[in-house]
Amino acid sequence: MNGYRVGIVGATGVVGREALRVLQERNFPASTLKLFASSRSAGRRIGSHVVEEASRAAFHDLELVIFDTPDEVARELVPLAAAAGAIVIDNSAAFRMEPDVPLVIPEVNAEALRHAPRRIIANPNCTTATIAVPLAPLHKAAGLRRLIACSYQSVSGAGQRGVEQLWAELQEAGASRRTPDRPRGSAFAEPIALNVIPAVGSLRGATFSEETKVAAELRKMLSAPRLPVGVTCVRVPTLVAHGVAVHAEFEQPLDAAQARKLLAAAPGVELVDDPAAGRVPTTLAAAGRDPCLVGRIRTDEAGCLAFFAVADNLRKGAALNAVQIAEHLIEMGLVTSKVTS
Ligand SMILES: NC(=O)c1ccc[n+]([C@@H]2O[C@H](COP(=O)([O-])OP(=O)(O)OC[C@H]3O[C@@H](n4cnc5c(N)ncnc54)[C@H](OP(=O)(O)O)[C@@H]3O)[C@@H](O)[C@H]2O)c1
């Protein structure tokens, strides 16, 4: 059968399972699809597939491998998969800021795929993606000068453990009609049910790691190395999709009507922008869908162009973007199938 020999590493996690769904939904031309996870999951079945342990020997003969594992696992295994001849699309943060690893959202900077000397391509952080998809066409038109962004991030952004902690706490709170007094899981140090936690990632000085990642990744993808970016990342008790309030200043004048026109034509963006009619972008509306929903477009009282963007963190923030990168690699002739029988 014609097609590409594809692997997903971390296939039992929330992003890995979504990657499998997205490959199937989009009829990705895979002649073989292998699923890998840790030794804990070896032998487990996902649909018709049997999960194998990811090991040094696992990657021979694969042409495209999507990694959906924690950073430390990616750091060890991604170079092995690339050395075995595969092109690797990595969803972790392990390689995103390395100068010889392109960090790509196809709608923003697909051309960067041409320069992947290590055969590794990084997928941005899910909050970065939610901001970058609508911001890129505005930056191209008017030149970003300064950016402030505040996120509202769902628990699935912290993986399967995040989802389990929220459900455990919600069930207990529903039964007792009391707010949780301590966390019922290991994903968040505070209870997340009926709560809002302004701490995502690990603290470095005055900034949390998620905030540092978003700023650095936006600068890299938008080719704006000196862009001043202020970010506050907040975990909220939603299951899927991240929302971001964005306030941006541009070099050239850009009013709400011009921004709306640019965003209406932007790939990967869907306008949901009629607050008077009750149409605002919500996380429930974005969950399970491909586009980044954008609304509340206005000039704020500080003179910034402001909007609210929501995108499914497991799809555009991770699995869908990785599959779109793979599709672009094929379209651009940057990966060729070795298997024809
Ligand atoms: N969740 C999001 O919204 C999101 C968005 C963008 C990027 N990311 C990144 O994507 C990656 C995966 O995140 P996730 O949310 O899907 O996490 P998750 O639900 O915790 O899943 C982690 C996956 O990694 C596997 N794994 C762990 N240790 C392994 C090992 N030693 N060898 C092979 N596989 C191993 C796990 O397998 P077992 O089941 O066998 O333990 C599981 O399949 C992370 O780097 C995360 O930062 C996540």
Side-chain angles (χ1 to χ4, degrees):
M1 187 185 153
N2 287 331
Y4 299 84
R5 297 173 66 87
V6 179
I8 302 175
V9 187
T12 52
V14 286
V15 174
R17 291 195 310 258
E18 195 70 28
L20 178 60
R21 249 191 306 276
V22 172
L23 287 170
Q24 289 168 341
E25 278 171 18
R26 296 171 75 89
N27 289 322
F28 188 86
S31 60
T32 305
L33 181 57
K34 289 193 164 192
L35 304 187
F36 303 99
S38 76
S39 56
R40 297 178 289 276
S41 305
R44 188 175 146 188
R45 294 194 82 87
I46 300 183
S48 58
H49 302 276
V50 178
V51 176
E52 298 173 41
E53 179 181 355
S55 66
R56 177 178 287 271
F59 308 115
H60 78 96
D61 237 13
L62 293 177
E63 289 148 341
L64 277 167
V65 183
I66 297 175
F67 266 77
D68 302 320
T69 65
D71 295 354
E72 64 278 11
V73 177
R75 235 171 253 125
E76 183 192 337
L77 295 181
V78 162
L80 297 180
I87 294 191
V88 179
I89 303 166
D90 181 30
N91 262 310
S92 84
F95 299 94
R96 287 179 192 150
M97 295 313 297
E98 307 234 340
D100 49 2
V101 172
L103 177 65
V104 175
I105 293 177
E107 294 92 330
V108 174
N109 60 341
E111 280 303 305
L113 292 172
R114 296 194 189 281
H115 309 287
R118 294 167 67 182
R119 308 176 70 79
I120 302 171
I121 293 148
N123 205 72
N125 171 282
C126 37
T127 303
T128 309
T130 308
I131 302 170
V133 170
L135 198 58
L138 305 180
H139 173 51
K140 196 170 165 203
L144 255 177
R145 187 162 58 199
R146 193 164 174 269
L147 181 74
I148 308 286
C150 297
S151 73
Y152 302 76
Q153 300 186 212
S154 68
V155 295
S156 61
Q160 186 62 34
R161 288 183 310 133
V163 175
E164 283 165 10
Q165 183 171 335
L166 176 59
W167 277 124
E169 291 171 1
L170 281 180
Q171 276 164 359
E172 201 173 294
S176 67
R177 297 185 69 81
R178 286 173 189 275
T179 54
D181 56 357
R182 61 184 171 83
R184 301 297 195 270
S186 55
F188 312 111
E190 305 274 348
I192 183 65
L194 309 174
N195 204 5
V196 160
I197 307 173
V200 182
S202 50
L203 187 62
R204 294 175 191 162
T207 308
F208 280 88
S209 54
E210 185 86 345
E211 295 158 354
T212 311
K213 282 181 201 171
V214 170
E217 292 174 21
L218 282 172
R219 290 189 192 106
K220 179 169 176 175
M221 268 191 309
L222 298 176
S223 302
R226 281 177 293 282
L227 181 70
V229 183
V231 187
T232 301
C233 289
V234 181
R235 188 75 66 190
V236 296
T238 55
L239 278 175
V240 175
H242 293 351
V244 189
V246 177
H247 298 255
E249 277 178 24
F250 293 88
E251 297 293 346
Q252 309 298 322
L254 181 69
D255 65 22
Q258 292 166 314
R260 203 170 285 120
K261 200 169 163 197
L262 289 164
L263 289 168
V269 171
E270 184 176 304
L271 283 191
V272 183
D273 191 35
D274 190 356
R279 293 192 74 235
V280 294
T282 68
T283 51
L284 282 183
R289 296 200 53 217
D290 290 353
C292 179
L293 309 186
V294 182
R296 299 289 323 277
I297 303 165
R298 65 208 189 274
T299 301
D300 69 16
E301 289 190 14
C304 296
L305 192 278
F307 60 85
F308 195 80
V310 284
D312 185 322
N313 52 294
L314 303 178
R315 291 178 80 88
K316 192 58 195 170
L320 169 67
N321 196 62
V323 173
Q324 288 173 321
I325 287 173
E327 291 169 346
H328 272 73
L329 288 169
I330 294 169
E331 267 170 44
M332 294 163 84
L334 297 171
V335 57
T336 45
S337 173
K338 291 175 249 174
V339 182
T340 52
S341 60

